[in-house]
């Protein structure tokens, strides 16, 4: 067989271009974040707010606590029981596991930096591959890939939204839908079908937002194929891709329904319909530069929007397409309008863009679906604008490549100019060396504190954190930052901390009850539970923790360790030689209850549930005091762990009931239900009400609740 040098060198050239694209993308990222030295790679790009959660999740993965298809229990958090995050939906769990393995070798902070770099490089390569598949000239595919990798929608989010940075599946999703809808070359043997299934699997195991819109577009692609050519291969590939994507999602998220112990609890992610309006896509925001734009002339419009807008979410400028993207969107609209007027048809590329706008825009289908179905988890529909960025850039580079193919030199220069203009516009202001130094100083201060703690405390010692905070998405007290309690966890390797228990779970009820007690009683119980220290941040207290320190000193707990910047303080305790597990007194409200202010009764709007966590390895026979009232006279049935408990008549006056129960080890569930339907009261803002629980607590007695239950 004779050699084919042209094909060989063409292949080498293609690989060289891919390598050049990866290098160029990496250089832009490294330059923006000033990561030119080895030491700088050990410093994360952010060390505040949501970034703490991302870093903590990578640390947990490195310690082997977040393995797919297993209970998500973070051993060093939620002390003494461990923080069970199984009920916490976790996108990109496979990616997180990989980052954990990387962190074992290079450290958590370097792994986070590598992840951010991998996100932009993978996005560039995926876009480039799709553009070349569509026969776009390489220089324009190169330019579009750079702009997509650094689109403002994803890149500006940085470390706090690390997993949203991985947008490489978006152009592949569009290509897959296009193949199913219109390709005449779908064959399993040629690899087209396998490619679509691989893309579907990647999307299903990644970000749920991408999966949600991919399934919609794939559904439309199947409809288009059915009413059009009706090619059997395309339909089979499309249906198989949809099944694979859903299956991959169910497997990756299986921990939510397989290993979540507290079935009575509500979701840790609190969502409401108002959020679907607040975070919906506002089409104007596609055109609005951020108020912090590097060019004052463009920043002016963002600043005006901040002054004039009364209804914007925390992601107001995220959908910004950039000047190049805006030009592409305008061109696409002109082409679409002209095609409709002259040819009575809509261009194929305009159809997915139109659907994204129709579905994601405020007042659009996203709000209709959320309002009538209660599907509120996808509230931030503005994130779907990343699909618009991909569509517009693919359209734009294809058109520009077609118009300049006769002039290759000018085509290359034009592509370079467009890429340079777009990058200068889209990239936010560089953080600068001063911010990197501040982050490095905070991390070193945390590490110094961590080293001192591990020197003074025994391995696996427990540290209680005050003030008590739930996880996730809890408004912190005073000036304390959200997720800031992860700092000592990141700075140590063996110590266990009380923070990290999912909010609204009976597993952490004892912490919330303990915080309401006087300091002397708090210390007595913590020592009895085996805690070796109390940690607090001065920023979490109005007086900087002075009163707490004085009360601890009055009890003889004077051994204190303070961080370098005097914001973190740890006071050593005297743990019991034989600690006992902490026991809560009250039950935790789960599903079916209205919100209520502290001290007020909780009203059920239908069937409702309570839960209780028994930390002992054995069953306990005890009594429960239930104080109930109802809207009028009604019959309330109580079941314990699925078995009959009692039936009682309650009225508007509170009635006290005593119920003998057997609490099994782990989470126990009480279900309450009224035979009579709930009533909607106008004076209660239209809320449904059936019955109320004024009190649901244990009644320790000598006959059944001994030991830890009697003392707790």
């Amino acid at each position: 067989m004779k050699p084919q040098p042209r094909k060989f060198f063409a292949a080498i050239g293609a690989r060289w271009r891919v390598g050049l694209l990866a290098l160029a993308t990496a250089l832009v990222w490294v330059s923006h974040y000033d990561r030119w030295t080895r030491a700088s790679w050990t410093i994360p790009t952010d060390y505040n707010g949501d970034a703490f959660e991302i870093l903590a999740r990578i640390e947990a993965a490195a310690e082997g606590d977040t393995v797919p298809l297993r209970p998500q229990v973070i051993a060093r958090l939620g002390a003494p029981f461990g923080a069970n995050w199984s009920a916490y939906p976790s996108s990109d769990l496979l990616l997180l596991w990989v980052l954990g393995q990387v962190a074992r070798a290079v450290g958590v902070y370097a792994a986070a930096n590598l992840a951010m770099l991998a996100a932009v490089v993978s996005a560039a390569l995926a876009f480039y591959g799709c553009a070349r598949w569509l026969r776009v000239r390489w220089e324009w595919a190169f330019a579009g890939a750079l702009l997509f990798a650094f689109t403002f929608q994803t890149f500006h989010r940085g470390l706090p939204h690390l997993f949203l940075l991985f947008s490489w599946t978006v152009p592949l999703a569009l290509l897959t839908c296009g193949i199913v809808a219109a390709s005449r070359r779908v064959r399993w043997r040629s690899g087209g079908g396998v490619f679509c299934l691989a893309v579907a699997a990647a999307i299903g195991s990644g970000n749920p937002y991408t999966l949600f819109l991919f399934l919609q577009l794939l559904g439309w692609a199947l409809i288009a194929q059915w009413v059009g050519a009706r090619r059997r291969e395309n339909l089979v590939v499309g249906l198989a891709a949809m099944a694979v994507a859903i299956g991959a999602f169910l497997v990756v998220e299986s921990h939510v329904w397989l290993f979540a112990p507290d079935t009575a609890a509500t979701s840790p992610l609190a969502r409401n319909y108002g959020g679907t309006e607040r975070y919906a896509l506002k089409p104007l925001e596609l055109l609005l530069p951020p108020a912090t734009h590097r060019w004052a002339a463009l920043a002016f419009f963002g600043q005006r929007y901040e002054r004039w807008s009364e209804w914007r979410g925390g992601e107001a400028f995220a959908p910004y397409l950039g000047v190049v993207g805006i030009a592409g969107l305008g061109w696409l609209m002109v082409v679409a309008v002209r095609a409709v007027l002259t040819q009575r048809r809509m261009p194929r590329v305009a159809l997915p863009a139109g659907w994204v706008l129709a579905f994601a825009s405020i007042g659009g289908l996203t709000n209709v679906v959320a309002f009538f179905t209660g599907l509120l988890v996808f509230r931030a529909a503005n994130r779907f604008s990343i699909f618009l960025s991909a569509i517009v850039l693919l359209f734009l580079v294809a058109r520009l490549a077609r118009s300049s193919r006769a002039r290759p030199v000018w085509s290359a220069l034009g592509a370079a100019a467009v890429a340079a203009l777009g990058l200068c516009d889209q990239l936010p202001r560089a953080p600068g060396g001063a911010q990197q130094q501040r982050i490095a100083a905070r991390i070193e201060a945390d590490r110094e504190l961590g080293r001192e703690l591990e020197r003074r405390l025994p391995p696996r010692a427990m540290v209680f954190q005050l003030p008590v905070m739930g996880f996730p998405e809890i408004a912190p007290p005073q000036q304390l930052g959200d997720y800031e309690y992860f700092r000592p966890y990141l700075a140590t390797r063996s110590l266990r901390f009380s923070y990290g228990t999912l909010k609204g779970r009976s597993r952490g009820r004892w912490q919330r009850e303990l915080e309401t007690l006087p300091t002397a009683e708090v210390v007595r119980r913590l020592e009895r539970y085996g805690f070796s220290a109390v940690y607090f941040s001065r920023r979490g207290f109005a007086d900087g923790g002075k009163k707490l320190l004085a009360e601890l000193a009055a009890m003889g707990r004077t051994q204190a360790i303070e961080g370098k910047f005097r914001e973190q303080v740890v006071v050593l305790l005297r743990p019991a030689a034989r600690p006992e597990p902490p026991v809560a007194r009250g039950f935790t409200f789960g599903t079916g209850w209205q919100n209520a202010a502290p001290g007020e009764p909780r009203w059920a709007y239908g069937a409702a549930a309570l839960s209780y966590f028994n930390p002992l390895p054995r069953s306990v026979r005890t009594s429960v005091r239930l104080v109930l009232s109802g809207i009028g006279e009604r019959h309330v049935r109580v079941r314990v762990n699925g078995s009959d408990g009692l039936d009682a008549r309650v009225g508007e006056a509170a009635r006290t009931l005593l119920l003998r129960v057997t609490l099994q080890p782990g989470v126990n569930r009480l279900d309450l239900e009224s035979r009579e339907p709930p009533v909607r009261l106008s004076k209660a803002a239209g809320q449904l009400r059936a019955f109320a629980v004024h009190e649901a607590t244990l009644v320790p007695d000598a006959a059944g609740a001994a030991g830890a239950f009697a003392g707790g």
Side-chain angles (χ1 to χ4, degrees):
M1 182 177 180
K2 296 182 179 181
Q4 298 180 353
R6 291 185 179 180
K7 290 185 178 181
F8 174 79
F9 287 113
I12 294 296
R15 293 173 185 173
W16 175 79
R17 292 164 185 163
V18 170
L20 180 62
L21 173 61
L23 177 61
T25 307
L27 288 176
V28 172
W29 188 92
V30 170
S31 177
H32 178 79
Y33 284 111
D34 191 20
R35 292 301 189 271
W36 297 105
T37 65
R38 182 176 180 179
S40 65
W41 277 88
T42 63
I43 304 169
T45 58
D46 201 336
Y47 198 64
N48 201 13
D50 288 358
F52 287 133
E53 183 193 352
I54 295 295
L55 295 170
R57 292 180 65 184
I58 297 175
E59 175 66 29
E63 296 180 6
D65 293 336
T66 53
V67 179
L69 300 178
R70 283 177 49 185
Q72 309 293 296
V73 180
I74 317 303
R76 292 204 299 119
L77 295 174
F81 309 125
N84 194 321
W85 289 2
S86 296
Y88 187 18
S90 306
S91 66
D92 299 276
L93 194 58
L94 292 176
L95 173 61
L96 179 63
W97 181 83
V98 171
L99 291 179
Q101 310 318 302
V102 175
R104 289 185 178 185
V106 301
V108 170
Y109 303 138
N113 285 327
L114 287 172
M116 294 179 65
L117 177 60
V120 294
V121 171
S122 61
L125 296 179
F127 185 96
Y128 181 84
C130 291
R132 295 293 287 159
W133 184 306
L134 298 173
R135 297 186 174 90
V136 175
R137 289 178 59 87
W138 76 268
E139 64 270 21
W140 287 105
F142 194 109
L146 280 176
L147 295 182
F148 180 74
F150 295 98
T151 188
F152 193 80
Q153 165 63 268
T154 54
F155 184 70
H156 91 286
R157 296 178 182 277
L159 182 58
H161 290 99
L162 174 64
F163 300 111
L164 289 179
L165 268 62
F166 284 86
S167 59
W168 64 276
T169 55
V170 171
L172 297 178
L174 294 171
L175 180 59
T176 298
C177 294
I179 290 174
V180 171
S183 177
R184 300 178 181 176
R185 298 176 296 167
V186 177
R187 294 287 189 278
W188 293 107
R189 288 180 297 177
S190 64
V194 175
F195 169 82
C196 292
L197 296 191
V199 170
I203 294 173
S205 60
N207 190 285
Y209 276 92
T210 303
L211 171 64
F212 187 45
L213 195 56
F214 169 68
L215 292 177
Q216 297 175 41
L217 296 177
L218 187 56
W220 282 116
L222 287 168
I223 293 174
Q225 183 61 230
W226 178 260
V227 300
R230 200 174 292 188
R231 296 188 70 252
R232 182 176 180 276
E233 294 87 348
N234 294 54
L235 293 173
V236 170
V237 168
L239 291 173
M242 185 173 291
V244 167
I246 296 174
F249 171 77
L250 294 178
V251 170
V252 172
E253 294 293 332
S254 60
H255 58 86
V256 174
W257 51 82
L258 289 181
F259 306 117
D262 200 340
T263 58
T266 57
S267 171
L269 297 178
R271 300 291 183 261
N272 55 39
Y273 174 76
T276 66
E277 293 183 341
R278 188 174 299 107
Y279 294 99
L281 174 64
K282 287 84 171 174
L284 175 63
E285 293 178 355
L286 295 169
L287 315 177
L288 279 177
T292 56
H293 198 282
R294 65 175 69 242
W295 298 334
L298 295 182
F300 166 79
F301 295 103
Q303 294 163 4
R304 169 183 284 182
Y305 186 65
E306 285 188 336
R307 295 194 309 270
W308 289 4
S309 175
E310 296 182 356
W311 191 246
R312 64 181 187 277
E315 303 180 359
F317 299 106
Y320 177 54
L321 293 176
V323 293
V324 174
I326 292 172
L329 179 62
W331 193 350
L332 176 59
M333 293 175 64
V334 170
V335 169
V337 171
R338 181 180 298 172
V340 170
L341 294 179
T342 60
Q343 304 174 24
R344 298 295 188 269
R345 67 174 183 85
M346 181 71 72
R348 290 177 180 174
V349 70
L351 293 174
W355 175 254
V356 173
L357 285 171
F359 182 83
S361 296
I362 185 170
L365 294 175
T366 184
N367 295 127
V368 174
V369 171
F371 187 83
F372 288 103
T373 70
L375 185 63
L376 306 174
V377 67
F378 298 103
R379 62 172 180 173
N382 69 81
R383 296 176 182 178
F384 295 135
S385 64
I386 187 64
F387 279 81
L388 286 175
S389 294
I391 293 168
V392 165
L393 288 174
L394 282 171
F395 166 80
L396 181 64
V397 296
R399 288 283 175 149
L400 291 174
R402 188 185 309 169
S403 62
S404 59
R405 59 187 174 186
R407 299 177 294 276
V409 174
W410 287 106
S411 178
L413 292 175
V418 168
L421 172 64
L423 288 177
C424 289
D425 166 51
Q426 292 176 188
L427 288 174
R429 294 180 184 273
Q435 177 176 327
Q436 188 177 138
Q437 293 173 7
R438 287 194 298 270
I439 293 175
R442 291 185 70 195
I443 290 176
E444 183 55 32
D446 288 352
R447 285 173 172 165
E448 289 180 6
L449 178 62
R451 287 192 292 266
E452 183 64 15
L453 287 177
E454 293 191 307
R455 187 183 70 84
R456 303 270 299 266
L457 298 176
R460 293 189 55 77
M462 296 190 298
V463 180
F464 191 80
Q465 293 170 280
L466 284 173
V468 172
M469 283 209 307
F471 169 84
E473 298 179 353
I474 292 291
Q478 302 300 325
Q479 298 178 342
L480 190 65
D482 202 4
Y483 306 122
E484 195 165 334
Y485 279 175
F486 284 131
R487 291 171 65 183
Y489 169 68
L490 293 167
T492 57
R493 290 296 172 264
S494 67
L495 300 183
R496 294 182 289 163
F497 299 89
S498 61
Y499 177 66
T501 301
L502 287 185
K503 64 185 181 183
R505 264 59 187 170
S506 54
R507 198 182 186 97
R509 170 82 185 194
W510 70 273
Q511 292 191 30
R512 301 188 294 274
E513 292 181 356
L514 187 71
E515 189 183 30
T516 64
L517 301 176
T519 301
E521 181 62 17
V522 170
V523 171
R524 183 182 73 82
R525 295 199 182 194
L526 287 178
E527 292 179 341
R528 196 175 78 209
Y529 300 153
F531 281 85
S532 299
V534 170
Y535 165 100
F536 68 91
S537 173
R538 292 184 182 274
R539 295 192 299 168
F541 297 85
D543 65 347
K546 294 179 181 178
K547 179 182 177 182
L548 177 60
L549 282 173
E551 292 174 337
L552 291 171
M555 298 179 61
R557 308 307 188 266
T558 57
Q559 297 186 62
I561 306 171
E562 195 163 10
K564 179 179 179 180
F565 298 114
R566 302 189 72 249
E567 57 180 345
Q568 300 178 92
V569 182
V570 180
V571 178
L572 304 188
L573 302 179
R574 303 165 187 170
R578 299 182 62 183
E580 62 185 51
V583 173
R585 182 170 179 265
F587 281 71
T588 300
F589 288 89
T591 58
W593 303 97
Q594 305 282 5
N595 293 326
E600 293 185 354
R602 292 287 292 269
W603 285 94
Y605 52 82
L610 300 167
S611 62
Y612 185 88
F613 180 70
N614 173 12
L616 302 181
R618 57 180 173 82
S619 300
V620 175
R621 183 71 175 169
T622 186
S623 298
V624 176
R625 178 188 290 115
L626 288 174
V627 181
L628 306 177
S629 65
I631 297 294
E633 293 289 329
R634 59 183 54 239
H635 180 276
V636 177
R637 181 186 182 189
V638 182
R639 290 181 297 157
V640 182
N641 292 327
S643 301
D644 289 341
L646 61 80
D647 295 309
R649 299 289 299 181
V650 299
E652 295 186 359
R655 180 184 176 185
T656 300
L657 304 172
L658 287 179
L659 173 65
R660 292 293 292 178
V661 299
T662 299
L663 298 177
Q664 305 294 334
V667 177
N668 294 263
R669 175 171 177 151
L670 265 65
D671 289 284
L672 296 85
E673 186 175 5
S674 172
R675 289 181 182 175
E676 296 77 13
V679 177
R680 189 177 300 279
L681 300 179
S682 58
K683 64 180 180 180
Q687 291 182 340
L688 287 172
R689 288 185 173 183
F691 56 89
V693 170
H694 300 252
E695 181 183 345
T697 57
L698 294 186
V699 184
D701 54 32
F709 271 68

